[in-house]
Amino acid sequence: MRIWGPLAAICLGTFMLLVDVTIVVVALPSMSESLGSSLSQLQWVADGYALAVAAALLGAGMLADLHGRRRVYVAGLIVFALASVACALAPGMGWLIAARLVQGVGAAAMFTTTLSLISTLYSGRRLGLAFGVWAAVASSAASLGPVLGGLLTQALDWRWIFYVNVPFTALALAMTFRFIPRSAPVRQTARRLDVPGVALFALGAGGLVYTLTASHSHGWAAAPTLVPLALALVALAVFVVVQRRTAHPLLDLSLFRRPAFSAAMLTIALGEAAVYGVLPYTSLWLQSVQGLSPVGTGLVVLPHALAAALVAVVSGRWMPRPSPRLGATLGLTLAGLGMGLEGFLGPDSGWPALVGGLALSGVGMGLIFQVAAALALGSVPPERAGMAGGAYSTFEQLGYAFGVAAFGTLAVTTMSRCLNGTVTAPHEAAQTLSGGGADTLLAAAPASRRDALDHTLHAVFASAHNTLALTAAALCLSGAAFTLWLTRSRVRSRAAVRDAVPVRDADAVRDTDAVRDTPGAPGPAGRGTPEYEG
């Protein structure tokens, strides 16, 4: 248990927090029926959690470096459990969205410490295996969320998708205290939490997601869209300036000079945005148009989860030193081809039309999770492990949040255009349909027109889903080409690495040069292995 105990404790927390990203997907129609909601509110139930995770990750990573990773991980578990209970007790959508935001803050404290804990607890080939197991859990969790959500929603009630977190959190806490040793803080003189950086990043990221969500309700030219967009862009610009000038930044921007690090961030963000950003609308198509149950919807997605988990484990075992040129490029390419296969639905298509594409995109995502995580940690010195892990997790959750919001806007726009001339208020009908309200539109139509309208809605939703899937495919394939270009130089020299590290880290780089290579070690460059630059 000395080997598997810590990994089980870490992976249990990872599984819970990532399951909660997508577990709500199949429960959205039930939530809407129970609490009453608009499409924007449903998006915030899914998006608010991911956005809170992304906004808090960098700050949580710095706290973990300052106060100890196990301590921050435990605090995150406790906040996550309490917020889950608040979600389950929500009397309305406002309460639920607020509780999801708090739940995301707890998840951020858990998520930002998982990779750095693994990188400090394991070395050599065990580190490669640990990354593979972690990646399998991460990729399967996001995919199994709809399955578990469907089972709980159909057998009990949508509130149980949150209640179920409590016993698993208790188990994770017990295992953490039992198997994970207390970690010492990374002691750096006069280093404090970058509060302005945390606030500016949260404001910028939140403003952009809000802009995307509001755009399909108000239009891009309206003040409710343009004002938050302007504020978000200003906040992000100031964030960059502050990070470049502060002595102890929340995110050291010089890390992006390392091609492997940049490739890792690009790969995980695009993969999450393209594959999992479309998944909520796939779920709505399966339930509201195809009439599948929540469990049936989850089972349709199951091939994706199984493929992702299997590939993550195999790649972690057989590719201990992942190459961004091979792993990241291949992962994005397979994910893009899988999404492309999902983009050819017709009015009479059923769920079998999606299975092949879901499985292939699962293969791509399994590779992406394993490779991107190892590259993010392996391309930085050990004292930057917390920051690198936080950056990886931030880009992952931002990718999902932006994907859901952007594809929601695209779905409404496409449906509105297809419904123009068919219904009296195409934009309002598009918002209802994209929110899973096909039955509502049919019930409001005269009985003599329902059969024709039903066929129209099938065609409109299929057309919108095709647009989303093909757009996602184009994003993945473009990202694969850019990653291939970015990593065109295979390995950079140590002198180049020193040039890329700020003066304040020069001593750390000299220290890592003195460490002897660990044979077969896939771990961080600080352990003496070559930089993962291609």
Side-chain angles (χ1 to χ4, degrees), residues 126 170 182 220 325 437 466:
R126 287 180 179 177
R182 190 185 303 273
W220 283 101
R325 177 162 284 252
N466 292 345

Side-chain angles (χ1 to χ4, degrees), residues 183-340:
S183 54
V186 178
R187 302 193 181 278
Q188 293 178 308
T189 305
R191 189 181 182 192
R192 291 183 174 84
L193 178 64
D194 182 10
V195 176
V198 173
L200 288 168
F201 184 79
L203 181 60
L208 287 180
V209 173
Y210 178 83
T211 298
L212 290 170
T213 304
S215 64
H216 62 73
S217 298
H218 305 288
W220 283 101
T225 302
L226 293 177
V227 171
L229 176 61
L231 291 176
L233 294 177
V234 170
L236 290 175
V238 176
F239 171 78
V240 171
V241 173
V242 169
Q243 296 307 290
R244 291 176 65 89
R245 293 183 177 181
T246 185
H248 302 292
L250 186 67
L251 177 61
D252 189 347
L253 299 178
S254 68
L255 293 177
F256 289 94
R257 298 177 190 171
R258 302 162 180 254
F261 185 83
S262 296
M265 300 302 109
L266 174 69
T267 300
I268 191 61
L270 281 181
E272 281 282 334
V275 176
Y276 298 120
V278 175
L279 190 60
Y281 307 102
T282 302
S283 174
L284 290 170
W285 178 76
L286 289 169
Q287 289 189 70
S288 67
V289 177
Q290 296 297 310
L292 267 64
S293 66
V295 172
T297 298
L299 292 176
V300 171
V301 184
L302 188 58
H304 177 96
L306 296 177
L310 179 62
V311 170
V313 171
V314 171
S315 62
R317 175 66 180 84
W318 294 105
M319 194 167 56
R321 282 187 173 184
S323 162
R325 177 162 284 252
L326 172 63
T329 302
L330 182 59
L332 283 173
T333 299
L334 293 175
L337 293 176
M339 294 306 298

Side-chain angles (χ1 to χ4, degrees), residues 271-463:
E272 281 282 334
V275 176
Y276 298 120
V278 175
L279 190 60
Y281 307 102
T282 302
S283 174
L284 290 170
W285 178 76
L286 289 169
Q287 289 189 70
S288 67
V289 177
Q290 296 297 310
L292 267 64
S293 66
V295 172
T297 298
L299 292 176
V300 171
V301 184
L302 188 58
H304 177 96
L306 296 177
L310 179 62
V311 170
V313 171
V314 171
S315 62
R317 175 66 180 84
W318 294 105
M319 194 167 56
R321 282 187 173 184
S323 162
R325 177 162 284 252
L326 172 63
T329 302
L330 182 59
L332 283 173
T333 299
L334 293 175
L337 293 176
M339 294 306 298
L341 289 177
E342 296 180 38
F344 296 95
L345 301 178
D348 300 320
S349 296
W351 62 265
L354 294 175
V355 175
L358 286 168
L360 185 56
S361 65
V363 173
M365 287 306 298
L367 193 58
I368 285 172
F369 272 112
Q370 197 278 332
V371 170
L375 287 173
L377 271 291
S379 59
V380 300
E383 69 274 9
R384 285 286 188 256
M387 182 180 290
Y392 168 88
S393 304
T394 297
F395 275 78
E396 178 181 358
Q397 295 306 308
L398 279 180
Y400 177 79
F402 284 132
V404 171
F407 284 122
T409 299
L410 183 59
V412 171
T413 301
T414 305
M415 291 180 182
S416 179
R417 185 178 65 252
C418 293
L419 288 170
N420 191 29
T422 303
V423 295
T424 54
H427 186 70
E428 289 75 8
Q431 289 183 302
T432 302
L433 180 59
S434 61
D439 290 341
T440 302
L441 294 175
L442 289 174
S448 60
R449 294 190 60 243
R450 285 178 186 169
D451 288 342
L453 181 60
D454 183 53
H455 185 271
T456 298
L457 296 182
H458 275 71
V460 169
F461 212 127
S463 178

Side-chain angles (χ1 to χ4, degrees), residues 63-124:
L63 286 175
D65 286 343
L66 293 174
H67 301 292
R69 290 158 188 167
R70 193 186 79 160
R71 182 179 298 176
V72 172
Y73 184 67
V74 167
L77 283 168
I78 294 172
V79 173
F80 181 83
L82 295 175
S84 296
V85 173
C87 289
L89 297 174
M93 291 300 294
W95 176 307
L96 178 59
I97 292 170
R100 284 281 281 174
L101 293 173
V102 177
Q103 189 188 33
V105 173
M110 297 157 60
F111 203 12
T112 195
T113 53
T114 55
L115 289 176
S116 54
L117 281 171
I118 289 175
S119 69
T120 55
L121 292 172
Y122 299 93
S123 61

